[in-house]
Amino acid sequence: MPWVEPEPGPSPEQKPKLTKQDSATGPEWYQKSEESESEGNQPPLGPLASPRPPETPGPPALERDDAPLPEGDDASSPRPSVLDDAPLPEEETPEPRAICRHRHRCHTDCLEAPLSRAFQWLGWQVGAHPWIFLLAPLMLTAALGTGFLYLPEEEEEDLEEQYTPVGGPAKAERRFVQGHFTTNDSYRFSASRRSTEANFASLLVVSYSDSLLDPATFAEVSKLDGAVQDLRVARENGSQIQYQQVCARYRALCVRPNPLLYAWQENKTLNLSSISFPIYNHGGHRLYLTGFFGGRILGGSLGMGHLLLRAKAMRLLYYLKTEDPEDSVQSKQWLTHFLEQFTNITNTLALKKIEVVHFTSLSRQLEFQATSMTVIPVFHLAYVLIILFAVTSCFRFDCIRNKMCVAAFGVISAFLAVVSGFGLLLHIGVPFVIIVANSPFLILGVGVDDMFIMISAWHKTSLADDIPERMSNVYSKVAVSITITTITNILAFYTGVMSSFRSVQCFCIYTGTTLLFCYFYSITCFGAFMALDGKREVVCLRWLEKADAKWSSFKKFCCFPFGSVPDEHGTDIHPMNLFFRDHFGPFLTSSESKYFVVFIYVLYIISSIYGCFHVQEGLDLRNLASDDSYITPYFNVEEDYFSDYGPRVMVIVTKKVDYWNEDVRQKLENCIKIFEKNVYVDKNLTEFWLDAYVQYLKGNSQDPNDKNTFMNNIPDFLSNFPNFQHDINISSSNEIISSRGFIQTTNVSSSTKKKIMLFQ
């Protein structure tokens, strides 16, 4: 049993004390008593005390000076305030224990506590060896930065590969078309039968008058057409690339940019006031005018369509060779020259009756890259502005607490993370897509946020403590904050790797990896610089405290023009913290403010839900270019005048069927009619080889229900109707493996309508 020595001359009211020096069991009891107080919030009962209910008798407890005397004792006799000096027998000495009157609480800091301890140790090491933690990341950045040597400069980015879903059904269907149907853009080109986009240049001509269907306007359009076809590209070897060399051909002639314009060029006496739309029969040949004339006003029925009374706009399409790689390269060179010379062409012609806008198959790629390159100057400007903001936020009139240099280096630390992250991924061969150039803005925001958190924690430390101890305190306070936020950010971006878009995958890989470097540099490189700046604080403080009466006032005036020397044992509180603590916090917690905040939040939720129902699906190509790009007016004109007719859609029979069987043909016909019932399909423009072939056989008194007759007459049919030559896939065993037809879509100008059309 522990003994407590009485203090000399104790007063009757003084209670006995138990200290660490009183007995051998004192420290253990003291520790347990403290734990009991922290857990149960009740004072300990003492080493020999036991809980005693009010009405239940129990063993005698240790008598205190305020306990009543036992019955029968003399009140005049002295009351013992402590135990006698004689020790009790060892077997009667109870074990000291602390009794808690409440249940143990659950520990919820299972992650925060070890993380804080680990960062506390790291902070101590950074404070003790700052130069190591500063120079090592700088050397790592220099090594990884060499990966920018592998940055692609002139490599053309495939927009379809990067910005369309990987493994989408459209790509699988296109592979089927490419494997079963051939094309030939050097002899029998057909734009609607191609499974991939061809090289082309497109001109939209808008008349200043109500209609361009007059010889004078057609003459000006013809002059423009001639100037475009006369373009020549000078090559390094002295040769030239002419339009006739690279144009897509149908038989021996280049595909005409506009069928009606070509008919007028062949016959200047053609009556432009008797044109039928959408199909015009010219000399026994059908001319499909859909997509070539916009802003139309139609009259009564005429031939295979309606009389074309007026047309405000006309399209000229110059298709170029694409299939052969060498031809494709020359076509792109001609298109590049076309883009460079188009302004000169229009200025030279001095067009008075028409306005012309242009677009090419290269424009989307070139304008997207040009827009992305404009991010580079903005990126530089963003770093400058962020540095100015950080420096301004961390500025103090107190030269000791001033953190301007630390704030500037925090922004530089984020830049080092970008260099390291990008360099590492370029070294290992991760593709660099152009949208990755936007990720440094995200890295900059996260890095500056971590910087402000660490500087704020540093200001709460005391100048009297040494640097390792201050860094240890800073790291233990910011550990959970910056670690958890960084982990969630990195996981969010790495989750994006599962996206079906390759561009999104690359963006998420680059951003997530760079965020990891940003976190690593914040707790090493930036922390080391902050420790070195802490040494500057100590030097400045000691310099100001030197006993030099002559320069003392001058030093204080230079270093603290608006205040006194800071307390060495005090902490610094930012004015913004004071504002939120003393003004904004009380204002926000008032009853009126609460009602106002709830009202604003309800309005925000309502507007968000409303906006979700008005989200426009799809991608507007005008958003990929700058506002002053030449493609913007092109798409404006196309939307205004050429949105009536959409693309032609292939309908493919993918299996072997008995086309000579009348029941099979009836099923195929019913299938086509189902497509034609769609409100977005013009049934008058459906094109299917089987209907034409059956009519051909019946016209020649042949039986289309006989297999041999059906199969043996196909070569003669294709020789008379060469447009269907690439619509039938016949195997070597004289079997039709697959075939296709075409339907014409209409009124599908928006992405929403296109989606509805596909799922109807």
Side-chain angles (χ1 to χ4, degrees), residues 133-148:
F133 287 90
L134 177 64
L135 296 179
L138 293 178
M139 296 174 62
L140 178 62
T141 302
L144 295 178
T146 57
F148 279 86

Side-chain angles (χ1 to χ4, degrees), residues 45-329:
L45 299 179
L48 297 180
S50 60
R52 183 175 57 185
E55 300 179 358
T56 304
L62 177 65
E63 292 186 307
R64 300 182 297 175
D65 55 355
D66 57 350
L69 289 174
E71 186 178 353
D73 289 347
D74 188 3
S76 63
S77 61
R79 285 185 304 175
S81 60
V82 295
L83 299 177
D84 294 336
D85 293 337
L88 294 176
E90 183 177 355
E91 63 274 13
E92 297 181 304
T93 303
E95 290 293 330
R97 54 179 176 162
I99 299 176
C100 179
R101 296 181 183 273
H102 297 274
R103 298 174 64 182
H104 292 285
R105 295 180 180 179
C106 296
H107 294 282
T108 59
D109 59 348
C110 56
L111 176 63
E112 180 180 359
L115 189 62
S116 181
R117 287 193 297 268
F119 267 79
Q120 192 173 8
W121 174 85
L122 177 61
W124 185 279
Q125 298 298 325
V126 172
H129 312 285
W131 285 109
I132 296 178
F133 287 90
L134 177 64
L135 296 179
L138 293 178
M139 296 174 62
L140 178 62
T141 302
L144 295 178
T146 57
F148 279 86
L149 297 175
Y150 302 99
L151 183 67
E153 295 181 359
E154 298 181 356
E155 182 179 352
E156 182 177 329
E157 185 176 308
D158 189 350
L159 293 182
E160 181 181 329
E161 179 69 18
Q162 296 295 338
Y163 299 95
T164 56
V166 177
K171 292 183 177 180
E173 293 168 358
R174 183 176 62 184
R175 287 193 296 269
F176 180 88
V177 173
Q178 292 174 340
H180 291 76
F181 302 98
T182 60
T183 57
N184 187 352
D185 57 13
S186 298
Y187 182 73
R188 202 175 298 280
F189 176 83
S190 176
S192 61
R193 287 168 171 79
R194 291 193 56 84
S195 58
T196 58
E197 188 180 65
N199 294 329
F200 69 90
S202 177
L203 299 181
L204 299 183
V205 179
V206 181
S207 175
Y208 291 128
S209 61
D210 293 337
S211 177
L212 49 70
L213 296 176
D214 64 87
T217 305
F218 261 57
E220 201 165 78
V221 175
S222 180
K223 188 189 304 183
L224 173 65
D225 174 54
V228 172
Q229 296 193 32
D230 287 340
L231 284 177
R232 292 175 171 82
V233 182
R235 309 179 71 177
E236 296 180 355
N237 57 7
S239 61
Q240 292 182 338
I241 302 176
Q242 300 180 4
Y243 172 74
Q244 288 71 22
Q245 295 177 238
V246 295
C247 67
R249 295 178 176 273
Y250 187 81
R251 296 184 177 177
L253 300 176
C254 292
V255 175
R256 298 306 176 183
N258 187 291
L260 186 59
L261 177 64
Y262 172 68
W264 181 85
Q265 289 173 340
E266 292 293 319
N267 181 15
K268 298 294 181 62
T269 62
L270 180 66
N271 186 7
L272 297 176
S273 60
S274 61
I275 305 300
S276 62
F277 186 90
I279 300 176
Y280 175 59
N281 192 340
H282 176 66
H285 298 282
R286 290 184 178 183
L287 302 181
Y288 289 88
L289 303 183
T290 56
F292 286 103
F293 288 91
R296 303 173 303 273
I297 296 180
L298 302 179
S301 298
L302 179 64
M304 304 183 68
H306 292 80
L307 181 64
L308 183 61
L309 299 178
R310 293 180 183 178
K312 181 70 175 179
M314 174 193 298
R315 187 196 302 268
L316 303 179
L317 270 173
Y318 299 89
Y319 286 107
L320 309 179
K321 296 178 182 179
T322 306
E323 291 180 348
D324 186 79
E326 183 178 355
D327 290 338
S328 179
V329 171

Side-chain angles (χ1 to χ4, degrees), residues 15 83 91 114 237 304 343 353 413 457 481 496 518 520 522 595 604 620 659 678 688 690 728-729 756 758:
K15 297 181 181 180
L83 299 177
E91 63 274 13
N237 57 7
M304 304 183 68
T343 303
K353 294 182 176 295
S413 176
S481 176
C518 185
F520 172 70
S522 294
Y595 287 121
Y604 164 73
D620 190 345
Y659 293 92
N678 193 309
F688 192 33
L690 186 59
I728 309 173
N729 184 7
I756 296 174
L758 291 175

